[in-house]
Amino acid sequence: MDATARPLRVPPEMGPYAEKHGLFQLLQNMVEKLLIHKPDDPIEFMITHLKQDNDDGKVYGKCCNSDVLQLIPRICIVGPPASGKTTIEIPNALWTNLIQERLSNVDCIKRGWVLEGFPENREQAWMLQSAGIAPRHVVVLYAPDVVLIERNLGKRVDPFTEEVYHTTFDWPSDPLVQQRLVEPEGVSEQETSKKLLDYHRNFPGIFQTFHKILKSINADQPCADVFSQALAYVQTRHRSAAPFTPRILFCGPPGSGKSLQAALIAQKYSIVNICCGQLLKEAVADKTKLGELVKPYFDNGCPVPDNIVLKILADRLNRLDCMTSGWVLHGFPRDLDQAEQLERIRMIPNRVFFLNLPYESILERLAQRRIDPATGERYHITYKPAPSPDIQARLRQNPKDLEGKIEMHLEIYYRNIKDLEEFYENAFSVNADQDPHVVFEYIESCIIKPLPQKS
């Protein structure tokens, strides 16, 4: 970075490096820990913190490798009595020291933890936060009160083993166990109703404290379904507060809608829309030095060499608007070698989409396209016919939309697509054979949510 130049130009490789190794999350986490614990020696505290497994499951004292990132679970499960969470009864005065001591053990730091039945009110939630205990996910189990009362009334306990059974849902098969089961204390209808009343009075405070990381799950369904929903939620990653500069790549066969989706994304999020083919045409039209090199290939109808394309592309992607606002690229790369060259010049996309649709749909989209040479307006025989016979009479078909040309381009695309999909292993596959706005909504959801982490 040249500190004497204005505006300051951030090297293009800095953003991908910071994202790959989680540097923004690391700094945010260290600042949070410093403010919570207020150590006398902040430097020594941060060194100790970095030597431990941090909140993102990454050992920063070792070689940072994005392939080994793992989310360390920190989960709270709360809910009313008999919702299936295994409630814990401990006086409030003991909670801070007890939980803080237990969760500071190495097994909790390295493997994560699940805290059941706590907090029960807003005060306890604040106690957790004041002690620096921050759950990553909070699961709230709920069910109608009549269901919860019925569950509690059917509870039975084996006094020898302390195993919990139920007269309806989990009755033991051993007659000896059946004979010694007793009804636990505090499960009568009156006592359960009182506990439920307390829970409903205190739950809004818990919700306000954890609403950004909280998910409610209906506990009035089979246990396996409740577990499946809870597991799916705790495996998700919340959106990071780290700065995010979108670098989006669209791949797909001709007619898959790459240009349209790129335009929609660029318009909504004010990022730079870069079509590789259009970029080459602009270089020729502007008569730049590289454009003069491209022109003979255009005139002869030959493909432009990759080294020239990459120079033009790198020049555009390194400009200030792309660096600050982000970019969406389509039309390049078309094969594995081009993808590898793009990575070598540090132009690494952080979202890659493969737009897929059947061969018949591609032919229908492309072979029926027409253009009005007088106005430049585009039409389609089926989806956007000419508004008048005069316009219809002067419509022309682009030679590249002839069926033979389409088949040739598709053969080249399908020959290279498997290698590209393996290279961009975290890419999203999109069904492009549907309404363009439905496709856009799916693409948008993939852009704004975090990428899945490898275990």
Side-chain angles (χ1 to χ4, degrees), residues 291-306:
E292 294 295 330
L293 297 177
V294 173
K295 190 175 186 302
Y297 295 98
F298 273 19
D299 294 340
N300 296 324
C302 299
V304 181
D306 289 350

Side-chain angles (χ1 to χ4, degrees), residues 280-314:
L280 297 178
K281 293 176 183 177
E282 291 175 359
V284 172
D286 294 340
K287 297 181 179 181
T288 64
K289 290 182 179 180
L290 289 173
E292 294 295 330
L293 297 177
V294 173
K295 190 175 186 302
Y297 295 98
F298 273 19
D299 294 340
N300 296 324
C302 299
V304 181
D306 289 350
N307 63 325
I308 298 177
V309 176
L310 279 166
K311 287 180 181 179
I312 296 175
L313 196 56

Side-chain angles (χ1 to χ4, degrees), residues 190-375:
Q190 183 178 4
E191 290 172 304
T192 303
S193 298
K194 182 179 182 301
K195 291 178 181 178
L196 286 171
L197 184 63
D198 291 338
Y199 172 80
H200 293 311
R201 184 186 302 118
N202 291 316
F203 175 72
I206 299 175
F207 179 83
Q208 291 174 7
T209 305
F210 297 117
H211 68 278
K212 290 185 178 181
I213 57 171
L214 180 148
K215 181 176 178 62
S216 298
I217 297 177
N218 182 7
D220 188 18
Q221 54 182 325
C223 183
D225 294 340
V226 177
F227 172 75
S228 175
Q229 294 175 42
L231 180 63
Y233 174 62
V234 301
Q235 289 178 330
T236 61
R237 297 174 61 233
H238 301 301
R239 291 187 62 185
S240 170
F244 174 72
T245 302
R247 302 185 302 275
I248 304 166
L249 173 63
F250 284 128
C251 298
S256 57
K258 301 186 295 294
S259 298
L260 174 60
Q261 296 302 325
L264 293 173
I265 291 292
Q267 181 181 21
K268 180 164 185 178
Y269 292 98
S270 300
I271 61 179
V272 183
N273 183 3
I274 300 176
C275 171
C276 187
Q278 185 62 33
L279 201 61
L280 297 178
K281 293 176 183 177
E282 291 175 359
V284 172
D286 294 340
K287 297 181 179 181
T288 64
K289 290 182 179 180
L290 289 173
E292 294 295 330
L293 297 177
V294 173
K295 190 175 186 302
Y297 295 98
F298 273 19
D299 294 340
N300 296 324
C302 299
V304 181
D306 289 350
N307 63 325
I308 298 177
V309 176
L310 279 166
K311 287 180 181 179
I312 296 175
L313 196 56
D315 177 70
R316 184 65 189 90
L317 294 177
N318 278 320
R319 293 183 191 174
L320 190 61
D321 56 349
C322 288
M323 297 294 299
T324 55
S325 301
W327 46 263
V328 52
L329 172 65
H330 49 107
F332 192 93
R334 298 176 184 268
D335 57 42
L336 178 59
D337 185 56
Q338 292 179 348
E340 291 174 341
Q341 291 183 64
L342 195 65
E343 187 173 80
R344 279 196 290 270
I345 64 171
R346 297 290 189 268
M347 297 303 165
I348 304 172
N350 49 24
R351 294 293 186 278
V352 179
F353 297 90
F354 286 94
L355 278 59
N356 304 312
L357 71 167
Y359 174 78
E360 296 76 14
S361 299
I362 296 173
L363 276 183
E364 182 184 33
R365 289 186 180 187
L366 298 182
Q368 298 186 40
R369 292 196 302 196
R370 299 294 185 270
I371 189 168
D372 183 349
T375 63

